[in-house]
Amino acid sequence: MRRAVCPGSFDPVTNGHVDIVQRAAGLFDEVFVAVGVNRSKSSSRLFTPEERMAMLEQACGHLDNVRVAGFEGLLTDFCAENDVAAIVKGLRAVTDFDYELQMAQMNASLTEVETVFVPTSPEYSFLASSLVKEVARFGGDVSGLVPPLVLEALTARLAERA
Ligand code: ADP
């Protein structure tokens, strides 16, 4: 069984994430979507780890071989504990590349886990959770950029915080 992981904070999950997870699910037998639950960063998040995981469960519900999990600490430890052979990352633009290459090489030096880069679909290349939140906060229409359930949760959370 070849297992892969798509890691991230998914605050919240966007259509760009779902696209990468879906493509990873076509390449591997089983895919974990691993949500970083690092407590030190939690104050800067709009959604709790549990909320982010619940949104992912629904957004990836159509993919039979995808499982959502939380992880704390090193991603390479998560890979070792769950028999994961590859980390799948989406690359949006060359600006992602420097950091992702460094991270991939560090992870490989820790456990020899492979990193597989998947080029983002052109329609999502500008898409980032941070930008979606920023645009939504100022009333912009992000309905084509996130799954409908995320749009609902985002609208509700931003209204609470306003
Ligand atoms: P982080 O918290 O690491 O910035 P995100 O939760 O925003 O991560 O995204 C997790 C991963 O999903 C990214 O590292 C990247 O590989 C991928 N990703 C994010 N947005 C897109 C997108 N629009 N297209 C393709 N891949 C993406």
Side-chain angles (χ1 to χ4, degrees):
M1 168 95 73
R2 303 294 288 173
R3 291 199 182 88
V5 63
C6 295
S9 40
F10 306 100
D11 185 44
V13 56
T14 69
N15 291 343
H17 293 129
V18 176
D19 178 52
I20 295 296
V21 173
Q22 191 161 318
R23 288 159 66 194
L27 293 171
F28 291 88
D29 298 318
E30 192 166 54
V31 173
F32 285 102
V33 182
V35 180
V37 298
N38 208 333
R39 299 289 159 189
S40 65
K41 288 188 187 164
S42 60
S43 59
S44 61
R45 305 290 183 214
L46 189 59
F47 295 101
T48 65
E50 294 73 23
E51 289 170 333
R52 286 181 268 144
M53 289 171 67
M55 286 189 276
L56 273 163
E57 296 270 8
Q58 292 196 50
C60 299
H62 61 296
L63 302 167
D64 289 344
N65 60 339
V66 170
R67 285 159 64 181
V68 178
F71 84 98
E72 204 163 6
L74 288 178
L75 180 61
T76 47
D77 287 343
F78 177 90
C79 293
E81 282 156 20
N82 293 283
D83 193 22
V84 167
I87 298 168
V88 175
K89 301 299 298 269
L91 280 188
R92 284 166 288 199
V94 283
T95 43
D96 279 345
F97 185 74
D98 265 356
Y99 175 74
E100 292 296 351
L101 181 66
Q102 188 181 15
M103 188 59 91
Q105 289 170 335
M106 172 59 88
N107 284 334
S109 81
L110 292 172
T111 60
E112 297 182 354
V113 66
E114 280 295 354
T115 297
V116 175
F117 293 125
V118 176
T120 184
S121 299
E123 65 267 39
Y124 303 131
S125 62
F126 62 93
L127 195 46
S129 298
S130 54
L131 203 49
V132 165
K133 287 183 282 190
E134 190 76 6
V135 171
R137 192 168 284 134
F138 292 108
D141 179 9
V142 295
S143 57
L145 308 179
V146 294
L149 73 123
V150 172
L151 183 65
E152 223 173 273
L154 194 55
T155 309
R157 181 57 45 88
L158 291 172
E160 279 166 31
R161 299 259 172 116

